[in-house]
Amino acid sequence: MLKKVILTFFVFCCFCITPVYSEGTVLQVSSVTASAGDTVDITVSITGNPGIAAFNLVLVFDSSIVTPVSIEKNVATGTFASNLESAGGEELDSITAVWVDNADYTEDGALLSVKFKIKDEAQGNIKISVTGKMCNYDGDDIDASIVNGGINIGKIETTGSTPKPTSSPSDGNSSVSVIMDGKPVNFDVLPVMENDRVLVPFRAIFEQFGATVEWDEETQTVTAKTADKTVILQIDNCGMYINGEMILLD
């Protein structure tokens, strides 16, 4: 089945005339926090979808830490196949997923999801990356930004003492003071201490570095851009992305 779908994909997509690129098109692997021995779902999603009728995606992971259990497409229509359906997950260190439809699919959201079993001895961060190709019904390549994801195994422990921020009185209450390059940073919303963590407003800090900051209400995502870096943070996502590379947060 997989060979048949791949053949259809190559007939469909490999004779493209004009690559189609949309600056807002993003292919993203989800990030989750879990414990050793858990089973988790990792999704590959698209946002800013200009219309796709086929994809051939490859998920790469560390097979010594996680084992793929099952895969399913999240697109309602079309023909789908994967090497995970024909081979045991223990034998794989990458998953190929191919999908072809007879019309452009234009919705944003998850394209596929993979269930991974985390091995009992696993620890630290597990990166899961995606590569591959997408095209529309006309056979044109769809170029998208890639945001990789992964799994954070448990809580990251730190050694040594944790620096304590200074505090100063403000209307009878204590407030956190943030100093950058020897100068205090002013905030519209004051920083706070919560569970021994300092929480500061994203915009004020990154604007101090000369970054432009944008907020996407629909996806609950904040993006900061400088001349050579793009930083993306999303509410309830344990991964921070710097130039498309994921850094898992504890």
Side-chain angles (χ1 to χ4, degrees):
M1 179 64 177
L2 178 61
K3 291 181 179 179
K4 181 178 179 181
V5 178
I6 290 177
L7 178 61
T8 304
F9 174 86
F10 278 101
V11 170
F12 200 86
C13 289
C14 287
F15 299 101
C16 65
I17 300 172
T18 306
V20 175
Y21 175 76
S22 173
E23 185 176 351
T25 302
V26 178
L27 195 64
Q28 180 171 347
V29 181
S30 63
S31 298
V32 299
T33 297
S35 300
D38 285 353
T39 300
V40 298
D41 290 316
I42 295 294
T43 61
V44 178
S45 302
I46 188 171
T47 55
N49 185 359
I52 60 172
F55 63 66
N56 183 2
L57 302 178
V58 178
L59 278 173
V60 180
F61 50 89
D62 188 341
S63 60
S64 68
I65 301 177
V66 293
T67 301
V69 176
S70 62
I71 186 171
E72 63 179 22
K73 71 179 177 72
N74 296 103
V75 183
T77 59
T79 303
F80 179 83
S82 168
N83 62 338
L84 182 54
E85 298 172 327
S86 57
E90 293 283 354
E91 303 174 14
L92 301 176
D93 54 15
S94 66
I95 298 170
T96 299
V98 184
W99 167 81
V100 178
D101 204 355
N102 58 6
D104 282 334
Y105 175 78
T106 58
E107 295 183 20
D108 286 353
L111 299 176
L112 60 90
S113 60
V114 180
K115 194 175 294 294
F116 284 96
K117 172 68 175 179
I118 305 170
K119 297 188 177 181
D120 293 338
E121 65 276 14
Q123 58 183 334
N125 300 333
I126 305 167
K127 181 179 178 180
I128 301 177
S129 59
V130 63
T131 60
K133 185 175 182 179
M134 301 184 294
C135 67
N136 61 21
Y137 189 69
D138 293 328
D140 301 321
D141 280 346
I142 303 298
D143 194 5
S145 299
I146 301 294
V147 178
N148 294 315
I151 305 169
N152 178 25
I153 306 299
K155 184 177 179 181
I156 299 174
E157 299 293 337
T158 58
T159 58
S161 60
T162 302
K164 300 295 183 181
T166 61
S167 62
S168 59
S170 175
D171 298 329
N173 298 316
S174 293
S175 60
V176 177
S177 298
V178 177
I179 308 297
M180 291 183 64
D181 296 329
K183 298 179 181 179
V185 179
N186 296 317
F187 299 94
D188 293 332
V189 179
L190 291 177
V192 296
M193 283 285 292
E194 184 175 303
N195 297 325
D196 292 326
R197 304 292 179 91
V198 180
L199 307 181
V200 297
F202 184 97
R203 182 180 295 275
I205 291 294
F206 276 80
E207 286 181 345
Q208 288 289 315
F209 289 108
T212 59
V213 180
E214 299 176 353
W215 169 252
D216 188 324
E217 180 68 27
E218 182 177 353
T219 62
Q220 298 285 283
T221 301
V222 61
T223 303
K225 294 182 179 180
T226 64
D228 60 348
K229 284 187 175 60
T230 298
V231 178
I232 300 174
L233 282 164
Q234 185 179 37
I235 291 179
D236 293 329
N237 190 328
C238 67
M240 176 177 71
Y241 304 92
I242 301 177
N243 291 344
E245 291 296 319
M246 182 200 67
I247 297 175
L248 286 172
L249 307 174
D250 63 338

